[in-house]
Amino acid sequence: MNHAHPRARRLAAVAVTVVLAATGGALTALPATAAPEPPAARADQQAPVSFPRNADVVGAGPSGFLSKTRGTTPEFRWTWYADGSSVVLPGATDAAAGGADLVVTVDRSAPVAGRVVRVYDLAKPTAAPVPREVDLDALGDGFFFEGVAGATMLLGQYVAGGPQKQYAVTLDGNPPKARAVAGGAGIDCSDGRDGWTDTASALYECSLDATGTTVKILVDLASGTSKWYPQFDDQWAREGAVSGTHVAWREARMSGSRAVHGIVAFARDSTTERWIPSDDDLSDPLYLVGGWVASGSKARIDSSTSAPGQPRPTVRPFTVQSVATGEKVQLLTAFSSAVAGPDGSLLVRGGTPEHGEGLYRVSPRSDGGRPDVALVASTGQSTVLAVTRSTTPTTLTGEQAARGFDFGWDLSRADADVWLTLTHVGSGRTISTRLYAQGPVAPGLPGRLTWHWDGKDLEAADWDAPARNGTYEWQLTARPDEGIGPDAVSTGLFTVTRPAAPHDFDDDGTADLLVRDTGGVLWRFGTRPAAPGGSLADTGGSRVGGGWGAYDRLETVGNVAGSTAPDVVAREKSGVLWLYQGTGDRDKPLAARTRIGPGWQTYTELAGGSDLTGDGRADLVATDKAGALWLYKGTGSATAPFGARKQIGHGWGTYNQLAATGNLAGGPAGDLVARDKDGVLWLYLGKGDGTFATRAKVGGGWGKFTGLTAVGDANGDGRADLVASNGAETFYAGTGGWSAPFKRGAAVSLTQETTYNAVF
């Protein structure tokens, strides 16, 4: 015996309940401050007893209730109201109690499946109840167990070649004897016990062979008398319900070419039909509590609801409606099972936002008013679906984003469909994924959700590109499995931040190459490290735009105009220089051009991107036809990005390629590499004042390349790198040392074999 609540011994002989119906018949909610858990009773009282989690009610009596856990191997447990104790009834695959403390169990998997039943009298708490066995074969051939109504066991009987009959056995301790109650020659009857609340009667659905029609037959179990009720159409009629005062069932009747749903109800002492229009589904179960019909959609526990943004399935709360007046009142937001209780009551496993999940008793009133509702056993779980806690970032550095992040959320209940959407706010790029709660998932049980974000780009995740800088918004949408109640929606923001990179045109922290093809179309090709600190791989290309054949010089100059993205300068053949300010937008990486000024045709080489003066801004250098080297300091202004020029060297006419590499060798400022006409590459270390140290030879053999592009740290090792191009690309990883600033070149394919005439 399981003593779940030691304090429960202080209970009185009957259960203390939280009554939901106010005096005078008005159904009222309990104080909102009690939500979402069931409220405590007064100091001298005890809260309701426990109802097993992840279980349904399958029987009830004056002294307690019978629960059945969900799953392939159910556990049947009887719990007493008096002290909260409980006992498991072993060896059963099915069990029932119908308003009395008599429980019948059966093992339908046994060789004589359904023919031997055990009868327990559970009126008083006991640690080891001893059942009485009843062999159904001893009662006659073909008997099978159907249910219990009060102290009466209900049986069906198959007759070879004949109709199904219905029998009753009184469980009074005397030798059991089966007596026929419905069916027989020309009448085939089946039970409809789901809706019974009158434990002294049984309602059957019977087919009349002579006419082919079906009727409802109400049987008084004590006297054996019966009353017949016609059905409109057996194809559209469903299992019915019976109380001490009424009989009801669902029907659909044709109105022209349209089927109209409704409930057919009769007072048991009247032959006058009452038709109650209803938009409920014919498959929704129907119950009776006195003169009130009760119904609703049973809660689903299979995570089958629709995704956010899609139409939700129609799910109806548990309501009661007066047969006499049509008045309708919602009692529970959701329910999963209901059985007959004592004195015409209905025991319902369900929940309300105010009092949570548990077992509720719905009882008829003597004056015929709205039924009383009381919480008699609580699971201690909330009916309301909510996100109770989250583990999410606020800021991630580039390194942190590269490692990914483990998001986590706690739900008040795990039986929900959950979808997560992550959006990069700047670009609007979005990914969505469905999440599943960890651990057991059942109505009311809290759940933990986790999701590992791999830190990859939302648009180009298949390219293994890193996430872009900027603000991200996550939204978690959890929809109750049973479909009742609002979605629980939780949102949050975080940012991914990295230092600005000199060749990062789409703000993802990795280098990009701008390539002009032979048709004058400009393309952006993204790169990523093939391995940390290793070579490079491409992440695909995108078209920037046409018309770039008008320029004879193109150069990426870093951020000279005040934004966070690198900028581009382009020189027309007439000598006019134009600025294209970077946007950081992958789809449109360059803004409309701004005119810098004329006279730039005097220069043979341009190189930008290094901070040569130590002021934190990228600068531009240019060599004229006389071999003078000129410095243009970056200003940070889009309208005038460069200051007045200053000559900082002479004799540079020997070089036919310049590349501003940034801080290549660990000095105080940006550096420069220059290739002479013999193909020898030289390193000029910046001093930080706009001048350079004496040049150092890097090596020969560089004459085969048509372009040198300083891409910054492209392989993620913290050192500046270089890409050399000649129709194909060679990647030179930086070493950080001035004497040998580059590792051995590695052939890479970054431009997808585009035929080009400029890479910058």
Side-chain angles (χ1 to χ4, degrees):
M1 182 161 57
N2 179 14
H3 294 275
H5 289 273
R7 291 178 57 211
R9 295 191 182 94
R10 297 198 298 266
L11 283 170
V14 296
V16 176
T17 60
V18 180
V19 180
L20 307 184
T23 57
L27 190 69
T28 59
L30 290 183
T33 54
E37 298 293 341
R42 297 192 306 269
D44 60 340
Q45 292 182 335
Q46 173 67 33
V49 300
S50 291
F51 191 90
R53 297 188 176 191
N54 194 29
D56 289 307
V57 62
V58 292
S63 300
F65 58 87
L66 181 66
S67 60
K68 174 187 177 182
T69 58
R70 297 162 181 146
T72 56
T73 307
E75 175 190 87
F76 293 90
R77 180 182 295 272
W78 180 267
T79 301
W80 284 277
Y81 295 125
D83 61 0
S85 62
S86 65
V87 65
V88 174
L89 306 181
T93 62
D94 195 8
D101 293 327
L102 294 175
V103 176
V104 176
T105 69
V106 59
D107 181 5
R108 297 190 186 277
S109 65
V112 287
R115 296 185 181 178
V116 175
V117 300
R118 293 178 175 180
V119 182
Y120 294 86
D121 185 351
L122 299 173
K124 297 180 180 180
T126 177
V130 179
R132 178 165 59 100
E133 290 193 348
V134 177
D135 187 350
L136 300 187
D137 276 349
L139 303 179
D141 293 333
F143 282 117
F144 57 91
F145 173 72
E146 286 188 327
V148 181
T152 304
M153 180 170 61
L154 303 170
L155 306 175
Q157 184 187 42
Y158 288 120
V159 178
Q164 181 174 312
K165 298 180 181 180
Q166 300 295 322
Y167 289 79
V169 176
T170 301
L171 301 173
D172 55 5
N174 294 316
K177 182 178 180 180
R179 60 185 187 278
V181 293
I187 305 177
D188 186 7
C189 293
S190 60
D191 75 295
R193 61 190 173 98
D194 282 349
W196 298 347
T197 54
D198 178 23
T199 58
S201 303
L203 185 67
Y204 297 98
E205 182 164 319
C206 301
S207 174
L208 309 180
D209 291 345
T211 60
T213 60
T214 59
V215 296
K216 301 291 188 189
I217 298 181
L218 176 64
V219 177
D220 182 282
L221 295 173
S223 66
T225 59
S226 62
K227 186 174 182 178
W228 291 27
Y229 299 89
Q231 294 183 169
F232 175 77
D233 189 330
D234 62 340
Q235 180 181 0
W236 296 100
R238 294 295 183 267
E239 291 181 347
V242 57
S243 70
T245 58
H246 286 76
V247 174
W249 64 88
R250 294 192 188 279
E251 274 195 10
R253 296 181 175 180
M254 299 303 297
S255 177
S257 60
R258 185 171 65 92
V260 179
H261 291 192
I263 297 171
V264 178
F266 288 88
R268 288 177 60 165
D269 58 0
S270 171
T271 58
T272 302
E273 175 192 291
R274 171 75 173 172
W275 172 259
I276 306 173
S278 172
D279 60 356
D280 291 358
D281 193 279
L282 286 176
S283 62
D284 286 345
L286 186 70
Y287 309 93
L288 272 168
V289 181
W292 294 71
V293 292
S295 65
S297 299
K298 285 190 175 182
R300 291 186 301 274
I301 58 173
D302 58 357
S303 298
S304 60
T305 60
S306 58
Q310 301 297 318
R312 296 180 66 167
T314 301
V315 182
R316 300 168 181 86
F318 193 77
T319 62
V320 292
Q321 186 172 10
S322 171
V323 173
T325 67
E327 179 187 2
K328 194 171 186 178
V329 181
Q330 177 178 320
L331 300 186
L332 307 174
T333 56
F335 91 108
S336 60
S337 52
V339 295
D343 303 320
S345 65
L346 188 68
L347 276 296
V348 187
R349 166 69 169 91
T352 69
E354 297 83 4
H355 305 289
E357 295 285 330
L359 186 65
Y360 289 80
R361 180 186 293 120
V362 182
S363 304
R365 297 180 56 155
S366 59
D367 61 2
R370 299 179 185 178
D372 291 329
V373 184
L375 176 66
V376 296
S378 172
T379 65
Q381 301 159 293
S382 172
T383 295
V384 178
L385 177 60
V387 178
T388 59
R389 187 171 66 95
S390 63
T391 304
T392 57
T394 55
T395 302
L396 295 175
T397 66
E399 292 182 359
Q400 291 170 330
R403 293 194 297 267
F405 190 88
D406 290 316
F407 288 72
W409 298 268
D410 289 339
L411 296 181
S412 60
R413 49 190 296 141
D415 50 325
D417 276 353
V418 184
W419 292 83
L420 176 67
T421 300
L422 183 65
T423 302
H424 181 251
V425 176
S427 66
R429 302 297 183 185
T430 295
I431 59 171
S432 294
T433 185
R434 187 174 181 180
L435 303 184
Y436 297 89
Q438 298 174 338
V441 176
L445 284 177
R448 176 70 175 170
L449 300 166
T450 60
W451 178 64
H452 178 75
W453 182 44
D454 58 8
K456 301 304 181 184
D457 187 280
L458 303 190
E459 179 186 10
D462 56 330
W463 297 332
D464 201 30
R468 299 166 70 176
N469 288 331
T471 301
Y472 289 78
E473 180 178 22
W474 58 263
Q475 176 173 301
L476 188 79
T477 303
R479 171 165 295 176
D481 271 356
E482 76 276 1
I484 296 176
D487 293 350
V489 179
S490 183
T491 62
L493 299 173
F494 67 92
T495 58
V496 174
T497 60
R498 303 181 183 87
H503 258 262
D504 180 13
F505 285 95
D506 61 352
D507 209 21
D508 66 355
T510 61
D512 301 298
L513 291 179
L514 295 180
V515 175
R516 182 181 64 188
D517 67 21
T518 53
V521 176
L522 189 66
W523 299 82
R524 181 194 62 81
F525 289 94
T527 70
R528 62 175 172 81
S535 189
L536 293 186
D538 73 277
T539 61
S542 61
R543 188 179 189 272
V544 177
W548 289 77
Y551 303 118
D552 66 356
R553 292 295 298 190
L554 296 166
E555 181 72 14
T556 296
V557 293
N559 173 19
V560 297
S563 70
T564 59
D567 306 319
V568 167
V569 294
R571 186 183 69 186
E572 291 180 342
K573 296 174 183 178
S574 64
V576 176
L577 192 67
W578 298 87
L579 170 71
Y580 287 87
Q581 193 170 2
T583 65
D585 185 341
R586 173 172 292 146
D587 296 326
K588 190 179 179 181
L590 299 175
R593 70 179 186 174
T594 301
R595 190 173 187 267
I596 295 175
W600 290 77
Q601 70 274 13
T602 188
Y603 298 118
T604 58
E605 299 296 330
L606 299 175
S610 286
D611 176 15
L612 303 177
T613 60
D615 62 359
R617 299 190 184 100
D619 304 311
L620 178 72
V621 293
T623 55
D624 63 19
K625 296 176 182 178
L629 180 67
W630 300 88
L631 169 68
Y632 286 86
K633 287 185 63 175
T635 66
S637 169
T639 56
F642 301 114
R645 72 175 187 172
K646 175 183 178 182
Q647 185 175 352
I648 58 173
H650 60 273
W652 288 69
T654 187
Y655 300 119
N656 58 19
Q657 276 285 322
L658 300 180
T661 59
N663 192 337
L664 184 67
D671 305 321
L672 204 67
V673 292
R675 185 189 65 188
D676 64 24
K677 296 175 182 178
D678 294 327
V680 177
L681 191 67
W682 300 87
L683 170 64
Y684 285 86
L685 295 178
K687 294 181 179 181
D689 59 359
T691 65
F692 301 98
T694 303
R695 70 178 186 174
K697 184 178 181 181
V698 176
W702 292 76
K704 62 183 178 181
F705 299 116
T706 57
L708 301 176
T709 306
V711 293
D713 177 19
N715 63 357
D717 63 358
R719 303 183 181 98
D721 304 314
L722 189 71
V723 172
S725 54
N726 59 353
E729 296 80 48
T730 303
F731 177 65
Y732 289 89
T735 65
W738 67 268
S739 60
F742 300 113
K743 297 179 182 179
R744 182 183 296 273
V748 291
S749 177
L750 303 178
T751 60
Q752 300 179 345
E753 300 180 356
T754 302
T755 303
Y756 55 77
N757 53 32
V759 178
F760 57 98

